[in-house]
Amino acid sequence: MKGAPYYEIRMQQFKQKLHRDLPETTVWGFEGSYPGPTIEVNKNELIKVKWMNDLPKKHLLPIDTTVHGAGPNTPRVRTVIHLHGSVVRPESDGYPDAWFTKDYKEVGPDFTRKVYDYPNQQRPTTLWYHAHAIGITRLNVYAGLAGPYIIHDPLEKYLNLPSGSYERLLLIQDRSFNDDGSLYYPIGPEPPVPGVCPSVIPDFFGDNILVNGKVWPYLEVEPRKYRFRIINGSNSRFYRMSISSGQPFYQIGIDGGLLERPVVTKEILLAPAERADVIIDFSKFKGQNIVITNDAPSPFPRGNPVDESTEGQIMQFKVSLPLSGYDSSVIPYSLSTIMPLQEKDVRLIRDLTLVREEDQYGRAFLLLDGKRWDDPITIKPKLGSIEVWTLINLANSTHPIHIHLVNFQILDRQPFDVDYYKETGRILTTGPAVLPELNERGWKDTVRANPGEITRIIMRFLPYAGLYPWHCHILEHEDHEMMLPYEIVY
Ligand code: C2O
Ligand code: CU
Ligand code: CU
């Protein structure tokens, strides 16, 4: 297409003030901004983006060269950008082995092009772009390489949702800092792994919560309705959010766009990479300070409880601005139509385990389907076909499983006997199948697979053939082999 908007977006290192009491922090970002600038497009509007690596030679964070794809012979500062949730051709998807260094001097084995096409012919929603280079995604994202991307629907104005300055984006991430303000990321687990330093860690939980690159910020709001597009852009941390005033969220959307109807809920759980589109009504709270709190244990769900004075708080709303005009926005009864995919149309069911094992250094790590990234590809859905993937979680925490290219629907979750499965390879269910939560009944690109449960998802593999990854979105897991390619074939 001629005349499609074309952007060059540079990844750079710079200093940024993340909190008034913190010295400046050296971060990575895009065009001088961490998080990267919000890219906003309309549905069906093709844009072209040249992601450019303008980063220094030295990485900000400790690289473990024993991790797949990050070996001592690979350049340290490699990046490739993936637009999470996007429907794009494989060459524009940011394949983990399609990385490149500064000025494309060195490129990964699957690098094919510099300029990516984003056709945006999909359900309008909140996406986010982030670094995805094999073996160092956790470090590149932690350094700051992530930003929001919104596909707007021009027709959405008829819904009369809060918009303009009453529509805000909240990208939530956790970070730890050294006293000098620099980012802290552990050099390895405690106790250390003999013979490996730096070493990948099983998960990362920072003790500061940042929203849009600010530590525990506040936002001044008017006593009226606001729409917030919330992204969990953290490495490992889940957030179970509530509003301190006791009022509910009116959740209108999820990963893949609007729900059929708003869901009124006092609690929203977001695993890494999940999104929630919500309306909060401040009209009865004039003059008050309201906090979005978090009580998700880490790791989720059986890990440490939050420290209420730190990770327990996300941000504050000060309902201090005067109402600038009558709030004519509404919370519509009906938002969109979601056509359920039918089980009778399923061509193939795949049983896929999530299992904890030990790598050659004795470190626990997690595998999908018992396989590693470089193993032969066994998942080859036919273009246009519908499949059900049965995610069998044999491990002891929740893993947010993300599939590139496709959106899926969650069929159900069902508890099963983990030990029996490990002995026999057979599923013995121990309770009824449970439908997804009300706020999961729409299009998803990331699903929480809980321990001791099988989670069934259904999807149609469209519209492109080729190689795409699927993986756990806990970035420490993704980097340590909890990621596999799959190939859509004709
Ligand atoms: Cu959000 Cu494979 O990524
Ligand atoms: Cu993705
Ligand atoms: Cu995981």
Side-chain angles (χ1 to χ4, degrees), residues 73-92:
N73 297 326
T74 52
R76 310 222 117 195
V77 180
R78 300 173 282 124
T79 61
V80 60
I81 299 299
H82 165 62
L83 177 56
H84 181 118
S86 64
V87 178
V88 299
R89 290 185 185 279
E91 314 83 66
S92 293

Side-chain angles (χ1 to χ4, degrees), residues 82 84 128 130 132 273 402 404 469 471 473 478:
H82 165 62
H84 181 118
W128 60 302
H130 62 77
H132 216 304
H402 169 50
H404 284 218
H471 57 89
H473 221 289
E478 170 183 344

Side-chain angles (χ1 to χ4, degrees), residues 15-318:
K15 283 179 184 281
Q16 194 168 302
K17 195 112 174 119
L18 305 182
H19 188 266
R20 68 171 185 272
D21 301 332
L22 203 64
E24 286 195 317
T25 304
T26 301
V27 292
W28 287 4
F30 299 85
E31 296 294 324
S33 154
Y34 157 70
T38 302
I39 301 175
E40 299 192 61
V41 299
N42 281 324
K43 181 179 158 91
N44 294 329
E45 174 186 310
L46 167 76
I47 67 165
K48 292 172 171 288
V49 178
K50 183 178 183 185
W51 300 103
M52 299 166 75
N53 181 344
D54 210 1
L55 296 162
K57 280 225 168 59
K58 193 175 174 313
H59 207 289
L60 265 184
L61 301 163
I63 294 179
D64 175 353
T65 55
T66 69
V67 157
H68 71 140
N73 297 326
T74 52
R76 310 222 117 195
V77 180
R78 300 173 282 124
T79 61
V80 60
I81 299 299
H82 165 62
L83 177 56
H84 181 118
S86 64
V87 178
V88 299
R89 290 185 185 279
E91 314 83 66
S92 293
D93 189 52
Y95 199 68
D97 291 317
W99 49 261
F100 49 92
T101 62
K102 191 176 166 108
D103 301 324
Y104 308 94
K105 277 224 172 69
E106 290 181 79
V107 298
D110 287 279
F111 177 89
T112 54
R113 52 156 70 207
K114 296 176 184 173
V115 179
Y116 282 10
D117 288 351
Y118 299 113
N120 300 308
Q121 292 169 340
Q122 57 182 100
R123 279 173 69 93
T125 189
T126 311
L127 313 176
W128 60 302
Y129 55 95
H130 62 77
H132 216 304
I134 189 87
I136 51 172
T137 291
R138 68 195 185 290
L139 306 172
N140 288 352
V141 172
Y142 190 74
L145 295 180
Y149 187 111
I150 302 173
I151 304 179
H152 289 286
D153 184 354
L155 297 176
E156 209 174 87
K157 62 172 180 284
Y158 297 111
L159 289 176
N160 200 12
L161 300 165
S163 63
S165 51
Y166 308 113
E167 177 182 351
R168 300 294 184 100
L169 192 132
L170 309 174
L171 171 63
I172 308 175
Q173 299 181 302
D174 58 338
R175 296 288 183 269
S176 293
F177 299 102
N178 299 307
D179 289 341
D180 64 359
S182 58
L183 285 171
Y184 170 77
Y185 189 91
I187 198 141
E190 279 305 328
V193 183
V196 197
C197 187
S199 168
V200 63
I201 50 178
D203 39 37
F204 171 84
F205 302 105
D207 51 8
N208 292 257
I209 309 298
L210 287 75
V211 180
N212 301 342
K214 297 277 181 218
V215 179
W216 289 304
Y218 67 83
L219 180 69
E220 290 186 295
V221 295
E222 297 178 23
R224 54 159 291 150
K225 294 189 280 303
Y226 280 72
R227 174 183 185 178
F228 296 103
R229 296 169 179 266
I230 309 175
I231 305 170
N232 181 355
S234 307
N235 281 32
S236 296
R237 187 181 286 285
F238 289 52
Y239 300 93
R240 191 164 53 202
M241 302 179 290
S242 317
I243 312 178
S244 63
S245 53
Q247 63 182 309
F249 298 97
Y250 298 89
Q251 187 165 0
I252 57 171
I254 56 175
D255 308 350
L258 293 175
L259 293 161
E260 286 206 291
R261 267 177 290 284
V263 172
V264 187
T265 176
K266 292 216 165 162
E267 224 173 61
I268 292 178
L269 176 61
L270 282 187
E274 284 189 302
R275 284 92 73 206
D277 197 342
V278 304
I279 294 173
I280 302 180
D281 187 355
F282 299 109
S283 60
K284 298 200 181 73
F285 299 91
K286 203 173 158 184
Q288 295 193 28
N289 293 341
I290 294 172
V291 176
I292 303 268
T293 59
N294 160 43
D295 72 348
S298 43
F300 191 83
R302 297 173 187 155
N304 300 316
V306 291
D307 176 339
E308 275 173 44
S309 64
T310 57
E311 316 112 61
Q313 305 189 22
I314 297 175
M315 67 173 293
Q316 193 182 47
F317 298 110
K318 298 187 180 184

Side-chain angles (χ1 to χ4, degrees), residues 299-459:
F300 191 83
R302 297 173 187 155
N304 300 316
V306 291
D307 176 339
E308 275 173 44
S309 64
T310 57
E311 316 112 61
Q313 305 189 22
I314 297 175
M315 67 173 293
Q316 193 182 47
F317 298 110
K318 298 187 180 184
V319 193
S320 55
L321 298 176
L323 192 60
S324 66
Y326 175 71
D327 177 8
S328 60
S329 69
V330 298
I331 301 170
Y333 173 73
S334 157
L335 297 161
S336 78
T337 312
I338 307 224
M339 296 288 253
L341 293 177
Q342 303 289 340
E343 278 192 74
K344 65 170 170 46
D345 299 329
V346 168
R347 179 174 177 272
L348 201 64
I349 298 172
R350 295 178 198 270
D351 284 357
L352 300 162
T353 55
L354 284 54
V355 62
R356 188 169 175 271
E357 285 184 17
E358 270 184 13
D359 73 2
Q360 63 193 111
Y361 303 95
R363 296 176 294 193
F365 73 152
L366 290 129
L367 297 178
L368 296 169
D369 197 27
K371 299 199 173 58
R372 297 182 177 221
W373 178 250
D374 287 325
D375 285 341
I377 299 170
T378 52
I379 303 177
K380 296 187 174 179
K382 225 171 127 57
L383 182 66
S385 70
I386 298 180
E387 297 194 354
V388 167
W389 289 13
T390 308
L391 305 171
I392 305 167
N393 189 347
L394 304 167
N396 40 30
S397 58
T398 299
H399 297 273
I401 301 299
H402 169 50
I403 306 176
H404 284 218
L405 184 72
V406 294
N407 277 357
F408 49 78
Q409 293 170 355
I410 305 173
L411 290 172
D412 48 36
R413 296 188 175 91
Q414 191 165 17
F416 72 108
D417 188 326
V418 172
D419 294 327
Y420 183 79
Y421 186 92
K422 283 182 177 164
E423 279 160 35
T424 65
R426 285 207 298 270
I427 294 172
L428 178 65
T429 58
T430 54
V434 179
L435 290 176
E437 303 285 338
L438 289 175
N439 60 6
E440 295 181 312
R441 297 186 193 178
W443 292 103
K444 296 279 295 166
D445 58 45
T446 305
V447 60
R448 296 183 302 270
N450 299 318
E453 288 180 7
I454 55 179
T455 303
R456 296 195 313 138
I457 57 175
I458 185 167
M459 68 219 116

